[in-house]
Amino acid sequence: MNDIMRSLQSFAIGILLICSFTVEGQSSGQTKMDNFISALMKKMTLDEKIGQLNLVTPGGAVTGAVVSEDVDTKIRNGQVGGLFGITGPDKIRRAQEIAVKNSRLHIPLIFGLDVIHGHRTIFPIPLGLSASWDTSLIKRSARIAANEATADGLNWVYSPMVDIARDPRWGRIAEGSGEDPFLGSQIAKAMVEGYQGDDLSKDSTVMACVKHYALYGAAEAGRDYNTVDMSKVRMYNEYLPPYKAAVDAGVGSVMTSFNTVDGIPASANRFLLTDVLRKQWGFRGLIVSDYTSISEMINHGFGDLQAVSAKSLNAGMDMDMVSEGFLSTLKKSLQEGKVSLQKIEDACRKVLEAKYKLGLFDDPYRYCNDEKAKSELMSDSNLQAAREIAERSFVLLKNENKILPLKKSGTIALIGPLADNKRNMLGTWSVSGDPEKSVTIMQGIKNVAGNEVKILYAKGANISDDTMLIERVNVFGTEIDVDSKSPDEMLNEAVETANKADVVVAVLGEAADMTGESSSMSHIGLQPDQQNLLKALVKTGKPVVLVLMNGRPMTLTWEDEHVPAILDTWFGGTEAGNAVADVLFGEYNPSGKITATFPRNVGQIPIYYNHLNTGRPYHPGDSPKFKSDYLDVLNSPLYPFGFGLSYTTFSYSNISLDNSILQSGGKITASVNVTNTGTRKGKETVQMYTRQMVGSIARPVKELKGFKQITLEPGETQKVSFTLSVNDLKFYNSDLKYVAEPGDFTLFIGTNSADVKEADFKLK
Ligand code: BGC
């Protein structure tokens, strides 16, 4: 029997055994899957079982050393369970064919990739997406990403990244949803649902992978990969909820993080992987390490490759990304009694289950459809969605004298190193995005403004002139290009250009890879030459609009004081230029709100709205001595969590509760009237927070518990209501019991975390 016949026969057996989970119901589906996998595992040798635990990349988008060599031979030998870092139905089909036709048991591979904020059509970076506060919009972005990824041969995406981040020095703050566990959890759920749909075996759904479990965002000093150490109470209440929300939403896989937790690296942390994830949360999917996070435990001081691999498996890891420690050492560890066969088999079963659920035993080429690739990737409707989604992610931070929106007439001086720069539009982790296909802000303004607007352009400054920074940022290509003109020449040219215009639009900020992995910064303001440029532009006396491109909250104290209008556009993706222009000219009235606090200076970090009170809180107006404050800066942030302006204004009035007592088992409804007091239609995100006044442990001064989006015509008032039950007031106490404690509460509703109306109630 030739190879093809043999593989066809094995599929036929697979098809007979497989029955869709959704059709037959969970338990019979589960039994069928168990039987199928048990039968398959009976045929597998120990080496083949260990081979399934090996996840390799043949190169491409790598974030560390490439360990795997001769990947084709390994696949043929049954030493690879999955591949990541390749795209395209043809390439993936080729790799799949090696597994399915040439390996002894014809077990298909899974194919993963970092599809983080879109695949070929790139959406705003996740921090920007979160600023939309629109979970259905975010879900839609994940759905489109899944459609494109599956059209490109993939079936596994390393997203959502849900690490709570309160330190904007940490470059990876760009990849998540900011600082809040409640909002972060809602977004985690939306993304998992968007990627996975209702049936993983469909050819348009992918298995999601929530990451980086756990607490990666709390790296000390905001330095990537650094130590994490925190109390269990903080862990459970503030950092774990979004991972749990993803698990509750049925996420198929979980990726561990690089950091230590309680002194033990997450990738060998039994408490995290087994006690919390498997036992407390009931997670039944696949656990995968991060890129070489198993072998990196050698540096953590956990032993040699054999020792760290055994520790990782024993802690609960299923699949080893790139380290090849499982492949090269587990057999020896089994012989030496350092791991059990049961552990290896359990892990192997998890990998095979993922493949089964994805329908790969049924049809290993399910995701390799050339026709679909042609029609789906960067389709007109995907690009249109990217434009709409980007518009909704932008945050208007300041708009003095209603300088925005701009008129579609007159002369605009478009200035700045990011104003006409395709390379930096997509932001970090856009591995399959094509910067050449991105719309620059210059192009967007031309598209939207029409012929009545004259545009004059000058670069004005380099993104940075710091040679060390340039070298480090440009490792994967030139994001910061140094102009042949000197900084002085560029600046003078920009000032001359500004003097000829009615208004200046300065597009400044960061290069795409000044945030993302391994992109921590100790200075998070504009780079010196950009700030000089901005100062010179302001000095011309022309009205200046600062359009920021950035992957983190930046320190903008000078800018806030001196520049009349600031629009934060993050990295808006493929259609960012059009979307920015839509907002600048008022085609879309900005509605985004920041999801991570903007500090006044780096010394305030970590700074976040849901902090605990101290015994000596400082209130503005108090005598500051012996209070918890700074001598040289206020406690308050520059822009608080939840802040964002609109071209219209909203006022809040008449906060009321239908009952001042919440009976356990009952509900109360809180309402507020929101009025559009401006002259344009606008969208507002109404935010509801609570504070438990007395608790068995110190409780945050505010915690987000709900939000609603409304659109109001000028002059229109709407009553917005939130319902609260005892469940909404639960938290983990010092015994890690999830409880609500009777007593006094304050409820706040407002336009951001600092500007709220309040009402009191009691929990009985
Ligand atoms: C990152 C992950 C990513 C993985 C695979 C790692 O360096 O931390 O977020 O999914 O590489 O590319």
Side-chain angles (χ1 to χ4, degrees):
M1 191 160 50
N2 67 26
D3 285 346
I4 297 175
M5 286 300 288
R6 201 176 297 125
S7 54
L8 285 175
Q9 189 191 46
S10 109
F11 298 147
I13 296 167
I15 290 163
L16 285 176
L17 288 165
I18 289 168
C19 193
S20 156
F21 274 67
T22 46
V23 176
E24 291 259 333
Q26 197 78 18
S27 64
S28 86
Q30 179 78 36
T31 313
K32 291 211 160 117
M33 176 173 77
D34 290 348
N35 291 342
F36 174 79
I37 291 173
S38 298
L40 178 59
M41 283 180 66
K42 272 205 186 110
K43 294 189 231 150
M44 293 172 79
T45 62
L46 174 64
D47 288 323
E48 283 166 337
K49 287 173 189 161
I50 293 174
Q52 287 301 308
L53 316 186
N54 196 27
L55 173 62
V56 300
T57 176
V62 293
T63 53
V66 181
V67 179
S68 310
E69 281 171 3
D70 204 359
V71 170
D72 287 8
T73 309
K74 282 194 174 123
I75 298 174
R76 211 168 284 127
N77 293 344
Q79 293 176 309
V80 175
L83 213 56
F84 77 100
I86 62 168
T87 51
D90 44 344
K91 282 197 198 139
I92 288 181
R93 178 181 287 275
R94 193 195 141 268
Q96 191 68 299
E97 275 175 359
I98 304 177
V100 163
K101 293 185 180 165
N102 301 337
S103 73
R104 193 180 74 90
L105 288 172
H106 323 291
I107 299 173
L109 302 168
I110 36 175
F111 292 91
L113 193 77
D114 289 285
V115 174
I116 308 296
H117 48 112
H119 179 55
R120 302 268 179 202
T121 305
I122 302 295
F123 301 108
I125 55 164
L127 187 63
L129 282 175
S130 71
S132 72
W133 291 61
D134 186 338
T135 50
S136 45
L137 189 90
I138 294 171
K139 182 169 169 179
R140 187 165 149 226
S141 78
R143 185 84 294 283
I144 293 170
N147 260 326
E148 288 200 353
T150 50
D152 221 5
L154 300 161
N155 40 50
W156 190 19
V157 297
Y158 301 144
S159 174
M161 188 281 213
V162 304
D163 305 324
I164 294 294
R166 294 163 164 184
D167 191 331
R169 291 172 299 181
W170 190 51
R172 303 199 80 169
I173 195 169
E175 297 175 48
S177 298
E179 73 193 34
D180 185 65
F182 179 83
L183 180 62
S185 298
Q186 309 277 318
I187 292 175
K189 176 173 185 280
M191 291 192 82
V192 170
E193 289 172 354
Y195 288 132
Q196 298 196 160
D198 55 3
D199 181 357
L200 271 188
S201 72
K202 284 192 182 153
D203 67 2
S204 60
T205 55
V206 286
M207 178 167 74
C209 185
V210 65
K211 67 188 190 185
H212 306 83
Y213 184 74
L215 325 180
Y216 184 30
E220 282 179 3
R223 179 155 57 77
D224 209 0
Y225 318 121
N226 204 6
T227 305
V228 171
D229 200 0
M230 70 170 69
S231 70
K232 289 264 168 32
V233 158
R234 167 166 279 184
M235 192 185 288
Y236 272 79
N237 286 315
E238 299 165 33
Y239 281 78
L240 291 181
Y243 309 105
K244 180 168 188 300
V247 168
D248 290 345
V251 73
S253 62
V254 173
M255 187 188 294
T256 62
S257 56
F258 291 116
N259 53 282
T260 53
V261 171
D262 260 345
I264 303 177
S267 297
N269 195 308
R270 186 193 298 264
F271 164 75
L272 288 178
L273 306 192
T274 298
D275 297 350
V276 178
L277 188 54
R278 292 276 188 221
K279 293 189 182 154
Q280 291 175 20
W281 298 353
F283 177 63
R284 299 179 66 169
L286 175 67
I287 304 179
V288 61
S289 80
D290 201 348
Y291 198 108
T292 60
S293 69
I294 293 180
S295 53
E296 287 170 27
M297 289 190 278
I298 302 170
N299 286 339
H300 282 287
F302 268 65
D304 60 12
L305 188 60
Q306 185 187 349
V308 295
S309 301
K311 282 179 187 172
S312 183
L313 184 83
N314 285 333
M317 184 71 75
D318 299 319
M319 207 173 195
D320 168 0
M321 186 194 287
V322 179
S323 299
E324 301 225 326
F326 280 8
L327 187 74
S328 60
T329 70
L330 282 187
K331 196 171 182 182
K332 187 157 180 257
S333 291
L334 178 65
Q335 284 155 1
E336 293 171 1
K338 293 184 175 132
V339 300
S340 66
L341 181 61
Q342 186 64 50
K343 281 272 178 204
I344 294 172
E345 292 194 331
D346 287 350
C348 175
R349 183 174 286 275
K350 292 296 177 197
V351 176
L352 296 174
E353 281 179 2
K355 295 178 180 185
Y356 182 100
K357 289 177 195 161
L358 286 164
L360 289 169
F361 287 109
D362 187 7
D363 176 4
Y365 307 109
R366 166 159 294 185
Y367 303 91
C368 300
N369 176 340
D370 295 313
E371 286 313 304
K372 193 176 162 202
K374 275 183 216 137
S375 63
E376 187 61 35
L377 301 179
M378 298 192 84
S379 67
D380 288 348
S381 71
N382 292 356
L383 292 173
Q384 182 54 34
R387 181 170 180 165
E388 280 167 31
I389 292 170
E391 287 167 359
R392 283 154 179 74
S393 74
F394 302 155
V395 183
L396 184 65
L397 294 172
K398 191 178 171 194
N399 193 21
E400 213 171 66
N401 302 328
K402 296 202 177 151
I403 181 172
L404 288 174
L406 300 175
K407 289 196 281 296
K408 288 187 180 172
S409 60
T411 303
I412 295 176
L414 182 62
I415 312 278
L418 291 161
D420 190 23
N421 185 326
K422 281 180 182 273
R423 186 67 179 84
N424 287 292
M425 300 310 287
L426 305 183
T428 185
W429 281 122
S430 42
V431 292
S432 304
D434 181 354
E436 281 308 310
K437 296 201 173 126
S438 59
V439 181
T440 65
I441 293 181
M442 162 96 89
Q443 189 56 53
I445 291 181
K446 284 185 182 159
N447 294 345
V448 173
N451 297 332
E452 297 301 300
V453 174
K454 188 169 170 202
I455 301 164
L456 307 173
Y457 166 77
K459 184 173 169 189
N462 296 316
I463 294 175
S464 175
D465 289 299
D466 174 336
T467 44
M468 180 174 97
L469 181 71
I470 295 171
E471 196 184 316
R472 290 186 173 193
V473 169
N474 286 351
V475 277
F476 293 130
T478 307
E479 289 184 3
I480 306 182
D481 58 331
V482 179
D483 209 273
S484 55
K485 290 181 194 144
S486 72
D488 280 351
E489 274 176 276
M490 278 194 279
L491 189 126
N492 291 337
E493 193 180 86
V495 169
E496 275 168 32
T497 310
N499 279 327
K500 292 184 206 143
D502 302 311
V503 61
V504 177
V505 174
V507 188
L508 306 178
E510 303 183 296
D513 282 298
M514 280 165 71
T515 46
E517 185 170 353
S518 181
S519 298
S520 294
M521 297 273 290
S522 68
H523 169 80
I524 58 167
L526 285 175
Q527 290 290 303
D529 278 343
Q530 290 197 64
Q531 200 172 53
N532 286 343
L533 169 65
L534 189 59
K535 285 181 177 164
L537 294 173
V538 169
K539 225 169 148 190
T540 62
K542 300 282 177 179
V544 176
V545 176
L546 170 59
V547 173
L548 270 179
M549 282 171 53
N550 53 323
R552 55 163 57 84
M554 297 180 80
T555 47
L556 301 169
T557 307
W558 186 90
E559 291 77 358
D560 183 67
E561 219 174 292
H562 297 96
V563 184
I566 308 177
L567 180 70
D568 195 325
T569 68
W570 317 108
F571 291 100
T574 312
E575 283 287 315
N578 284 328
V580 169
D582 285 340
V583 171
L584 288 178
F585 292 98
E587 301 290 326
Y588 183 74
N589 183 357
S591 56
K593 307 233 185 193
I594 55 171
T595 57
T597 301
F598 277 47
R600 293 176 190 274
N601 65 28
V602 178
Q604 287 184 312
I605 297 170
I607 179 167
Y608 47 94
Y609 85 94
N610 46 354
H611 58 85
L612 305 182
N613 219 6
T614 64
R616 297 183 177 198
Y618 171 74
H619 302 291
D622 286 358
S623 157
K625 198 65 192 162
F626 305 118
K627 293 284 163 60
S628 178
D629 57 9
Y630 300 97
L631 292 178
D632 60 348
V633 68
L634 297 173
N635 281 359
S636 62
L638 185 63
Y639 304 121
F641 174 83
F643 174 81
L645 303 171
S646 159
Y647 294 155
T648 190
T649 44
F650 299 100
S651 82
Y652 284 63
S653 61
N654 294 350
I655 185 168
S656 65
L657 297 172
D658 67 346
N659 201 326
S660 59
I661 310 253
L662 173 55
Q663 302 286 352
S664 128
K667 286 186 186 327
I668 52 169
T669 299
S671 307
V672 75
N673 287 338
V674 184
T675 305
N676 181 342
T677 47
T679 52
R680 300 175 71 98
K681 179 175 163 183
K683 188 197 270 188
E684 168 73 333
T685 301
V686 183
Q687 302 159 39
M688 193 259 294
Y689 301 83
T690 60
R691 175 173 181 182
Q692 182 181 347
M693 301 310 292
V694 177
S696 61
I697 58 172
R699 304 283 293 120
V701 297
K702 261 178 207 139
E703 292 177 279
L704 184 70
K705 297 290 181 182
F707 56 91
K708 281 197 176 154
Q709 296 196 312
I710 53 168
T711 300
L712 297 179
E713 297 291 341
E716 188 186 347
T717 297
Q718 198 172 310
K719 185 170 173 178
V720 179
S721 299
F722 296 93
T723 304
L724 264 183
S725 74
V726 69
N727 273 338
D728 299 310
L729 303 175
K730 286 189 173 163
F731 66 101
Y732 291 90
N733 67 14
S734 49
D735 298 323
L736 300 181
K737 295 249 158 59
Y738 195 53
V739 296
E741 294 175 342
D744 292 335
F745 287 79
T746 301
L747 181 141
F748 312 86
I749 305 181
T751 183
N752 64 61
S753 62
D755 185 359
V756 288
K757 306 277 178 211
E758 55 183 84
D760 296 333
F761 70 94
K762 259 188 202 328
L763 173 66
K764 275 279 179 193

